[in-house]
Amino acid sequence: MAQLSGKSIYLTGGASGIGRAITEAFVKEGAVVTILDRSAAGLNELKQQYGEQVQCIEGDVTVYEDHVRAVKTAVETYGKLDVFVANAGVFDGFAKFEKVTPEAMSAAYDLLFNINVKGYFNGAKAVTEELKKTAGNMIFTVSGAGFYPDGGGVWYTASKHAQIGLMRQLAFELAPDIRVNAVAPGGTLTALHVIPPLQPFVKMVDNETKEKSIKKRNPLQIAMISEDHVGAYLLLASDQARAITGEVISSDGGLAVRGL
Ligand code: NAD
């Protein structure tokens, strides 16, 4: 039997990159997936590809009501909710603390923390009652930047540490009803968006340069792609992980081995 047969999953940021690869893997393993994303074009592609197996909701993770709308759609369409994946996020482009003006730093904080931290909180809050009914679980996409410096600039790194704190506190408060875990991908070749206030302060790099730099930074020397991470999500979402909560699975080419 498929690993996630009959599971109803709600995921944010599924229209692109890691979220899209997770959606594809979940559908392949028998799940139905409700996706919240702000990219109408990406959502349309998913709908065309997967039809009735997905529900696509255009919206913004910083708006609590958008999560409520997505959860309502998932439950009305598929009868229940088993798993929530908080994944939509934005980046600071490695903006250097000393180079950025206080005004830009302040605008960047509001934008980035709203999406990366409040967006995860909003989703978790909106799904809790439904996940209690199914003894379900949550999975947060964090990052190597949740443990080590130099996976981003100050705001991205701080936001990823905050996501891990949020995950651990929720795992504590929601036990024994709901498991809460995280996956920490390392640098991955996606279109991860650098927020506008920081764009003037960072160097935009082409894909080839990005690939080389990702390879150089992890001991396994892998230029990771989104599909490299889906195994960790499949495990945590499944009943095989029923004894796992409050944990982070690193999928980063071995950053801990390097002791970065
Ligand atoms: P991506 O840009 O390819 O995908 C992010 C998706 O989130 C997009 O579809 C985008 O439209 C959506 N999104 C962004 N802000 C949103 C908002 N406010 N409301 C609704 N949707 C929104 O990037 P990705 O690399 O796949 O990033 C996914 C997650 O993986 C993020 O949390 C990111 O921090 C994390 N991550 C990425 C890397 C990497 O190197 N790419 C490494 C570690 C962790």
Side-chain angles (χ1 to χ4, degrees), residues 40-256:
L43 290 174
N44 282 340
E45 270 178 37
L46 276 176
K47 191 69 193 164
Q48 276 182 5
Q49 195 171 351
Y50 295 112
E52 293 308 305
Q53 290 162 296
V54 298
Q55 295 298 316
C56 295
I57 315 290
E58 192 180 339
D60 192 314
V61 293
T62 65
V63 180
Y64 178 69
E65 292 70 26
D66 287 356
H67 292 278
V68 172
R69 195 159 48 93
V71 171
K72 192 161 178 272
T73 303
V75 173
E76 279 176 5
T77 314
Y78 302 123
K80 61 171 182 161
L81 194 63
D82 299 287
V83 181
F84 168 53
V85 183
N87 170 78
V90 287
F91 192 45
D92 63 8
F94 294 100
K96 291 278 170 260
F97 173 69
E98 286 187 283
K99 291 202 174 144
V100 183
T101 60
E103 295 74 23
M105 268 301 186
S106 175
Y109 172 87
D110 291 345
L111 204 54
L112 193 142
F113 265 68
N114 238 348
I115 296 174
N116 288 11
V117 184
K118 196 169 160 197
Y120 281 27
F121 169 86
N122 281 344
K125 189 77 182 155
V127 298
T128 294
E129 282 313 307
E130 289 302 328
L131 290 190
K132 269 191 176 171
K133 295 179 193 165
T134 57
N137 70 87
M138 303 184 197
I139 308 169
F140 289 3
T141 299
V142 296
S143 167
F147 297 103
Y148 314 111
D150 205 24
V154 286
W155 286 156
Y156 186 73
T157 301
S159 79
K160 290 293 169 182
H161 278 65
Q163 289 176 344
I164 293 179
L166 182 61
M167 179 278 289
R168 289 200 172 119
Q169 183 65 23
L170 287 176
F172 172 71
E173 288 193 30
L174 299 179
D177 301 317
I178 299 170
R179 298 186 293 108
V180 189
N181 293 290
V183 177
T188 305
L189 292 166
T190 69
L192 187 60
H193 180 71
V194 177
I195 49 170
L198 294 177
Q199 286 174 5
F201 302 94
V202 304
K203 211 167 80 188
M204 297 295 176
V205 288
D206 59 51
N207 267 346
E208 206 183 319
T209 314
K210 214 188 221 172
E211 192 173 333
K212 278 192 195 141
S213 120
I214 291 175
K215 258 189 180 173
K216 231 173 33 196
R217 293 160 71 89
N218 69 81
L220 291 180
Q221 296 182 12
I222 308 172
M224 284 168 274
I225 57 170
S226 299
E227 287 71 13
D228 287 320
H229 309 303
V230 300
Y233 291 88
L234 287 171
L235 169 66
L236 291 174
S238 78
D239 297 336
Q240 287 177 324
R242 81 179 191 105
I244 305 177
T245 196
E247 282 297 332
V248 185
I249 298 182
S250 289
S251 176
D252 61 10
L255 293 180

